[in-house]
Amino acid sequence: MPLRSSKIPRDSVHHPLFARFYARFSVNADRHAGVAAHRAELLAGLSGRVIEVGAGNGLNFAHYPAAVADVVAVEPERTLRQLAVRSAMDATVPVDVLPGTAEALPVPDETFDAAVASLVLCTVRDLPQALAEIRRVLRPGGELRFFEHGLAPGPVRATAQRALDRTVWPLLFGGCHTARDTLAAIRAAGFELGTYRRLTVPERGLRLPSSPCVLGRARRPGPSAAA
Ligand SMILES: C[S@@+](CC[C@H](N)C(=O)[O-])C[C@H]1O[C@@H](n2cnc3c(N)ncnc32)[C@H](O)[C@@H]1O
C-alpha cells in the first residue's frame, strides 16, 4: 500500500513528560482500573484491515482478534511511538506503527474496514478534522470503534470540566480536554451512531474529571456492513 510518509510532520506532537507519565499510568490503569477489559470490548469482533489513531504505547494491540488482517497504528509522539513499536512485536496480528496525526492520516482514501479511537479524541487539536480523516480512510460501510472520555452528564460537573479545559488540564495531560462531546462530534462528522454505552472509569473509587466515558460503534454510511 503506498503510504504518504514523506508528507508526515515527524514530531508534530511533542509531549515527552506526558509520554513518560502515560507509559506508566496506562499500564496501571489497564491492570487496576479495568481498562484492559474495556479495550477487549472495544475491539471484539473486528476483522479485516484496521487503522488505530493515536495508538500511544500500543496497549490495544494485544486485544485485536485473530480475524484482523493487519493494523496500521498512527502515533505522533516519538516516545510513545517507540513503545508502540515494541508492543507491535508482541502482538498476535501484524501491526505497522507510523508517525502522523489524526488530522492528516498518512494513508489513502477508503483503505480500512475499521478505525479505532481510544482515549485520543480528547487530545487531537482539531476534532472535526480528525473525524473527517477517519471517515475518509474508512471504506463505505466501515466501522469506527471508540472508547473515549468526555463531557459529564449534568451541568455542575460539565462546568468544572470546562474550567479545567481552559486552564491546567491540557497543560498537565499532553493536550487532553475533559469536556468534549464525542458522541455529538461523531454524529456531526457524518457517521451513523450504532450501539454505545456510557461508563465510568474507574468504576469504583476516585472520580476524576476524565471518568465519564463512552464505548461504542459508529459507521461510515455506505452499502455494505461486511468486512
Ligand atoms: C491518552 S493517550 C491514549 C493512547 C492510546 N490510544 C490508548 O488507548 O492508550 C492520547 C494519545 O493521543 C496522541 N495524540 C495527541 N495528539 C494527537 C493527534 N493530533 N493525532 C493523533 N494522536 C494524537 C498522544 O500522543 C497519545 O498517544
Side-chain angles (χ1 to χ4, degrees):
M1 180 180 66
L3 296 171
R4 297 183 299 181
S5 53
S6 60
K7 295 184 186 169
I8 300 166
R10 287 268 145 187
D11 282 311
S12 49
V13 171
H14 184 63
H15 289 300
L17 281 180
F18 170 75
R20 282 164 59 195
F21 159 77
Y22 192 73
R24 296 170 74 102
F25 169 83
S26 57
V27 172
N28 275 321
D30 269 38
R31 284 194 194 135
H32 305 300
V35 176
H38 301 322
R39 295 184 189 281
E41 179 182 345
L42 173 73
L43 305 175
L46 283 179
S47 60
R49 303 208 64 204
V50 178
I51 183 163
E52 183 175 333
V53 298
N57 42 340
L59 291 182
N60 282 330
F61 299 168
H63 300 281
Y64 280 103
V68 167
D70 73 307
V71 178
V72 171
V74 177
E75 170 51 49
E77 211 289 327
R78 180 183 300 236
T79 304
L80 289 170
R81 192 167 62 244
Q82 285 167 350
L83 294 170
V85 169
R86 278 195 227 158
S87 299
M89 289 174 191
D90 296 331
T92 52
V93 301
V95 181
D96 194 8
V97 179
L98 298 181
T101 63
E103 292 90 335
L105 292 171
V107 293
D109 298 355
E110 302 187 1
T111 307
F112 295 95
D113 300 297
V116 171
S118 69
L119 309 174
V120 62
L121 297 178
C122 53
T123 298
V124 296
R125 288 190 186 123
D126 185 335
L127 181 54
Q129 173 62 21
L131 287 166
E133 274 292 271
I134 292 171
R135 193 182 150 150
R136 175 183 70 77
V137 305
L138 279 175
R139 65 167 171 76
E143 195 174 47
L144 167 62
R145 297 282 185 98
F146 54 89
F147 166 42
E148 293 289 339
H149 71 81
L151 191 63
V156 175
R157 290 171 72 199
T159 301
Q161 286 179 317
R162 290 195 183 99
L164 283 172
D165 286 359
R166 284 194 301 271
T167 53
V168 293
W169 195 270
L171 293 174
L172 290 175
F173 297 109
C176 175
H177 299 77
T178 61
R180 288 191 175 168
D181 188 344
T182 312
L183 293 177
I186 289 171
R187 274 200 208 97
F191 286 91
E192 290 167 356
L193 203 54
T195 54
Y196 66 88
R197 70 182 180 97
R198 295 186 188 274
L199 62 163
T200 301
V201 180
E203 209 170 52
R204 292 185 199 83
L206 189 66
R207 290 283 184 274
L208 301 168
S210 56
S211 286
C213 292
V214 286
L215 191 160
R217 305 170 180 206
R219 193 171 289 287
R220 174 179 165 167
S224 161

